[in-house]
Structure formats: structure tokens, C-alpha cells
Amino acid sequence: MGARNRLESKRFEQNNMKKTGLLLFLAGILTLHASAQIPSWQQVDVTQENREPSRTTFMSYGRGEDAVTMDKTKSTFYVPLNGAWAFRLASGPGDIEPRFYGSSYSGEQSEKPVPGYFAETSKEELAAHRPPALPASHAVGQYRTQIEIPVFWLDRDIYFRAEGVKGGLTLYVNGIKAGYSEDGGTPAEFNITPYIADGINTIGMEISQWKTGDWLENGTQTGAGIEGDVYVYSQYRIHIHDFEVKTSFDSLKNTTGVIDLAIEVVNNFNFPDSIVVYYDLRDAQGKPVRYNTRETIVPGLGQRDTIRFQGKLGDVKKWSPENPYLYELVLRIRYQGRFTEYIPYMIGFRDLKMQDGQYLLNEKPLELNVQAYRFSGISPDESVIRAELKSLKQGGYNAIRCAYHPRKTRLYELCDELGILIVDEINIDTSLTGDQMGAGGTLANNPEWVNAYRQRIENSWRANRNRTGLVVYSLGNGPGVGYNAYQSYLLLKELEPFRPVMYRPAEGLWSTDRPSWTGGF
């Protein structure tokens, strides 16, 4: 594309963005009006609005030397939002102050730390009702902070990310509703680019104490608020949106590792353009051991393309609980002669498969000695998590079950590093509705909730599927089988044919796999 045509395309794009921003502004007003009639947190079939599809957790870097540190605070594309936020406690939905999310609000307010809770919740309060009814006592936490967007971000896509929220999260940017999410067991991410202005921007979070999704989270009623990190980050407008990595071993020589990569690239310019995608693989000492590149033209206007690589690595060091050897994978994009993005990710070479009814890890029977990891709430310091995991391993356990819901990203990274296998549990616990399959019984057999089930499964799978230590999925905790449980099993097996899927209530039925297992649940 010539310089003149590119300039004209840029001008067209800027005018189009202004029109899009106006439409989003009007849509935000209409959405606010509609939600005032039936709030999102009160609707079974509304699990999220304008939330980005869940994807692998990663950080984008502008320089290779920063990327290899795996420290997101070194990225110039990252701005943390943890800390003190302006706060207003609404006694109920009718007491919400919409003006609070604007920059000029000067009414009554205090401060609350993020992460942190603003109200308590308990299973007993929920148990007094039947789904989808919620307790009458319903506080709403209103949070607000301001952020100055770096000037060089203004031609980039900007994302807001909350890594754990208990309650129904409604996001506001400069007073406009930007989205809603209620699956707090996985990170919630929103593309806030259309709402961002030059200079100072106001970010608001409205968190409802209760939501219909609480009927799927019976095991973790600890409090309402923010449990994980909150931050904003950006990517160039043509960037890596997601990726999937699989490892195995050559069928003729099992000391040769095979890596299969699928890298999804999105182009948010208004015109197709050419990029070069790279991957580099480095050993534990930082020595390059494998790389490849591919040039492709990505269609514009938000369309995506998937670039696939397969490579082989001789004398590969296998990952196992006994020897958790990790390689560093770095993905790169070159656009118009310069590198615009580096994404690092740690992987191990291991092979998981079923043979003659037995699951094998690196050709050996998969024997799990599992300890339920029941910690819920605001994540402790990394040193505490590391000490807990080391203690479990010293006690003879080689695996943990993320009881009740998936955990924060750092736990999975530490398990990969320390050689601890993971049973990843979907954020579903319906113990309060019992195990009866008839009307008014278990939600596992109520088709009105099937979309909520499916959404949580896909969110969890997409976020954690590249973790080396993740070897088993659990469909959740709590009793009940039926339509939703069957559909959940089928969806996970479609997404992930090789990892076993277990669900205790389905013991003896076709809708569960069970590898050899000892230890706690």
C-alpha cells in the first residue's frame, strides 16, 4: 500500500472511530436504560456483556529484553490499578449513584483498597431462597479511579482486566457502561479503546453483592469485592490475540520433542496488511534452541487469521513432576520493518494420552496423589503460595485440585515450575440445589442454565489450556447430573480431547473420565 493510500486509510479510520465512539456512547445510554429495568445481575441468561472472549493469560512487551524477564511491570504497555480507589457503598440497587462514575462527582465517598471486599456473603443467606431468587439485602459497591493513558497508546487497542471479582461486575469508562461480567473465577477482560479519551480517563467498577451466577458458586461465598489484580494494558492494533501450544514426542524417536503452535492474529486497522510472525524457543539457560518465521497478510476491520507452526527439537528435556524442566517460548510480530510486540510464555514438553483405557503421561501410567487446594479469597503473597506448594510436594502429593474454581495465574505458573500436576475445576458449585433431577431440583438438569454452564467452561479452558501441569479437568463441585452436566462434558471433550474430564456425581456414567487417583478431593 502506497504512502498516500495509507494516509487516506488512516484518515478514514480516524473518522470511522469517531463515528463508532458516538454509536457506542448512544448504545451505552440505551444499555444503561435497559439495565435499569432488569439489571444484568438478575438475569439467568445474561452472564456477560461486551466481555472479551477468554484467552491465554499473557503480557505484551515492546522490547525483547523486557519480555524474557516475564515481569509484566517492565512492560511499557502495562499500567496497574491496584491500590486505593474512591468508593461509595449503595445500600441497594435503588441507591446507586450513576454520577459517581464521572470525573466531576463531588458527593459523599470514601476509599477502599483494591483488591479487597466491601460486603460479606454467606451460603446460608442464599440457601433461604430458590434459584434464581436472591437475598433481599443487596449492597452495591461503587469504585472509581483515574488513569492517564500514555500518549503513544492512543493508536493502540486498550484492555481493562480484572483477575478475580466476587459479585456482578459492571465496568464504566468515562461514565459510559463498557461491559458486564459475573464469572469471577476467570479473568474478565474488556476492550475499552472506543471509550478512551486523550489525557485523564475515569474508570468505574460497580459490583453487586449478589447475582444469579451465585447459584453456580455455592462453595465460595466469602465476600463481595475484588480478589485479584486489576490493570490496564495495550497492544498494537495488529497483534497476537491468542495462541495455543501443544507438545508431544516423535513417534519414532521419543527423545525428539514436537511443538505445535496456533497463533491467532487480529487486525483492527481498516485495511489488510502484511506482518511477519516469529516464534523463538529457549532452554533454561536462555540459549536459543528453535525458531521459525512466517509472513502473512491479515484482513482488516477486526478480522483474524491463524498462523500455524510445527517444529521438532532433538534431545528434548521432558517435563515431569520429578523433573519440571521448562523452556521459554517468545512470540514476536514484525510490522512495517519493526518489532511491535513480544509475548513470553513458559512451556514444558510432555505428552498426555489414553492407551488401552489408561491415561499415560510421557508413556507412563498417570498416577495422581491429589490434595484439594481450597484457599479462596484474596490471593496471598507469592512466597506463601510457593511455601504451601513445596510443603505439599514434600508431603508426598504430586497434584492439587483447584477446589471450587480456577485460581489466579501465578498459582499455575508455580505448579509448572515446581512440578505439581493440576486438576483444574470449573467455576461451578451447585450444592445448594441438591441432586434431584426433577423440576426445582439440581441446576445440572435445568436447561435454562445451560448457557451459563457452557460460558464458564469455555472461559476456564481458554484461560488455562496451555499450562503444562494441567492434566485433568473437573466439571465442578456439588451434586447433580442431567442435561447441563452432559452438555458440559461434551463441550470439554470437543475442546480438549486428550485431557481427562472428571465429575464425581457422574461416577459410573459415560459423562466422566477418571484417571488413577488417590488423595483428597
Side-chain angles (χ1 to χ4, degrees):
M1 179 179 288
R4 182 176 178 181
N5 289 338
R6 189 178 301 281
L7 180 60
E8 290 176 353
S9 295
K10 278 284 190 180
R11 287 172 177 167
F12 171 78
E13 183 180 330
Q14 290 169 354
N15 291 333
N16 191 49
M17 286 180 66
K18 290 178 181 178
K19 294 176 183 178
T20 302
L22 177 60
L23 290 173
L24 285 166
F25 178 80
L26 295 173
I29 293 175
L30 292 173
T31 304
L32 282 172
H33 176 69
S35 64
Q37 298 174 358
I38 306 176
S40 302
W41 51 264
Q42 210 169 15
Q43 302 180 58
V44 171
D45 58 343
V46 177
T47 60
Q48 56 191 46
E49 298 169 331
N50 295 336
R51 171 175 163 164
E52 286 287 296
S54 184
R55 56 176 170 171
T56 301
T57 297
F58 61 79
M59 180 51 60
S60 176
Y61 296 79
R63 303 193 311 167
E65 54 265 43
D66 295 331
V68 296
T69 68
M70 298 288 294
D71 180 358
K72 63 176 178 279
T73 66
K74 294 186 182 299
S75 173
T76 55
F77 307 148
Y78 164 83
V79 176
L81 297 181
N82 288 3
W85 285 51
F87 179 79
R88 181 181 181 273
L89 181 65
S91 58
D95 186 39
I96 293 172
E97 173 53 81
R99 295 175 300 174
F100 182 80
Y101 304 112
S103 59
S104 59
Y105 178 79
S106 59
E108 183 178 350
Q109 59 186 326
S110 59
E111 283 191 348
K112 278 282 184 184
V114 171
Y117 296 121
F118 69 88
E120 295 182 356
T121 59
S122 71
K123 289 194 290 186
E124 290 71 22
E125 288 182 84
L126 200 59
H129 304 269
R130 297 301 299 168
L134 298 170
S137 175
H138 190 118
V140 179
Q142 297 187 259
Y143 294 80
R144 187 187 70 246
T145 193
Q146 291 188 321
I147 176 176
E148 183 171 8
I149 298 296
V151 173
F152 70 93
W153 280 25
L154 295 179
D155 64 347
R156 301 171 62 83
D157 291 328
I158 301 173
Y159 298 92
F160 171 92
R161 185 178 177 92
E163 295 210 330
V165 177
K166 290 297 291 182
L169 166 65
T170 303
L171 177 68
Y172 292 86
V173 180
N174 294 321
I176 303 173
K177 181 178 176 179
Y180 173 78
S181 173
E182 61 179 44
D183 176 10
T186 52
E189 192 169 280
F190 303 88
N191 186 336
I192 60 174
T193 312
Y195 311 96
I196 291 295
D198 294 354
I200 302 295
N201 289 261
T202 303
I203 307 292
M205 294 188 293
E206 183 175 287
I207 301 176
S208 57
Q209 182 181 5
W210 297 101
K211 61 186 187 299
T212 53
D214 285 322
W215 284 106
L216 299 177
E217 300 176 10
N218 301 169
T220 55
Q221 296 298 335
T222 53
I226 302 99
E227 293 185 336
D229 291 339
V230 178
Y231 56 92
V232 170
Y233 74 102
S234 71
Q235 292 182 273
Y236 198 63
R237 302 203 69 207
I238 185 166
H239 62 256
I240 293 171
H241 175 76
D242 202 359
F243 61 92
E244 187 170 350
V245 55
K246 296 178 180 178
T247 61
S248 58
F249 301 104
D250 188 276
S251 59
L252 299 178
K253 189 175 182 181
N254 70 2
T255 57
T256 297
V258 179
I259 180 171
D260 287 281
L261 272 172
I263 303 172
E264 184 182 24
V265 178
V266 62
N267 180 4
N268 286 324
F269 288 120
N270 287 333
F271 47 83
D273 219 334
S274 174
I275 61 169
V276 183
V277 179
Y278 295 70
Y279 86 84
D280 301 287
L281 199 63
R282 308 178 187 196
D283 65 17
Q285 287 71 46
K287 177 184 175 182
V289 293
R290 184 75 191 177
Y291 77 95
N292 206 343
T293 69
R294 187 159 298 158
E295 186 171 4
T296 187
I297 295 176
V298 186
L301 297 171
Q303 296 188 67
R304 298 176 184 180
D305 190 15
T306 299
I307 297 91
R308 300 182 186 277
F309 295 96
Q310 184 181 83
K312 292 187 177 183
L313 180 62
D315 296 322
V316 68
K317 292 182 171 59
K318 298 181 180 182
W319 185 98
S320 68
E322 298 76 27
N323 182 32
Y325 192 95
L326 294 174
Y327 292 82
E328 184 171 39
L329 174 69
V330 180
L331 309 179
R332 294 181 283 158
I333 282 186
R334 193 178 73 204
Y335 175 67
Q336 293 185 359
R338 66 186 180 92
F339 286 104
T340 56
E341 180 169 57
Y342 298 80
I343 293 175
Y345 201 85
M346 303 302 293
I347 66 167
F349 280 82
R350 61 105 176 100
D351 184 34
L352 181 67
K353 64 184 177 183
M354 175 179 273
Q355 183 173 302
D356 299 327
Q358 170 70 60
Y359 281 96
L360 304 177
L361 180 65
N362 298 342
E363 304 296 332
K364 298 178 181 179
L366 177 61
E367 302 287 345
L368 298 178
N369 188 16
V370 183
Q371 174 64 55
Y373 191 85
R374 300 185 185 277
F375 178 86
S376 294
I378 299 171
S379 295
D381 292 338
E382 178 182 326
S383 59
V384 175
I385 301 175
R386 185 183 290 272
E388 288 177 345
L389 295 177
K390 284 184 175 181
S391 177
L392 289 176
K393 196 166 185 181
Q394 290 168 359
Y397 295 99
N398 68 351
I400 62 168
R401 176 175 71 91
C402 296
Y404 307 128
H405 58 83
R407 292 308 192 272
K408 309 302 181 292
T409 301
R410 190 56 182 145
L411 177 73
Y412 296 89
E413 293 173 343
L414 288 173
C415 285
D416 286 352
E417 176 189 328
L418 298 173
I420 296 176
L421 301 170
I422 301 166
V423 179
D424 204 27
E425 192 151 280
I426 308 300
N427 188 27
I428 298 175
D429 185 318
T430 60
S431 53
L432 288 180
T433 60
D435 59 3
Q436 297 301 308
M437 294 181 66
T442 176
L443 293 186
N445 197 41
N446 186 335
E448 292 180 5
W449 293 77
V450 69
N451 288 335
Y453 269 69
R454 291 176 64 89
Q455 192 68 67
R456 287 167 182 253
I457 286 168
E458 199 154 336
N459 286 345
S460 180
W461 177 78
R462 290 189 180 281
N464 299 324
R465 68 193 187 277
N466 290 323
R467 293 297 167 197
T468 301
L470 200 165
V471 293
V472 180
Y473 288 104
S474 166
L475 282 180
N477 193 62
V481 295
Y483 180 77
N484 297 340
Y486 301 148
Q487 291 298 313
S488 298
Y489 176 83
L490 292 173
L491 175 60
L492 255 181
K493 297 305 286 187
E494 177 186 344
L495 295 170
E496 186 67 71
F498 297 111
R499 285 181 173 119
V501 177
M502 56 88 62
Y503 183 49
R504 284 184 296 160
E507 195 76 34
L509 301 177
W510 61 268
S511 54
T512 185
D513 313 316
R514 181 94 180 260
S516 181
W517 181 298
T518 59
F521 287 94

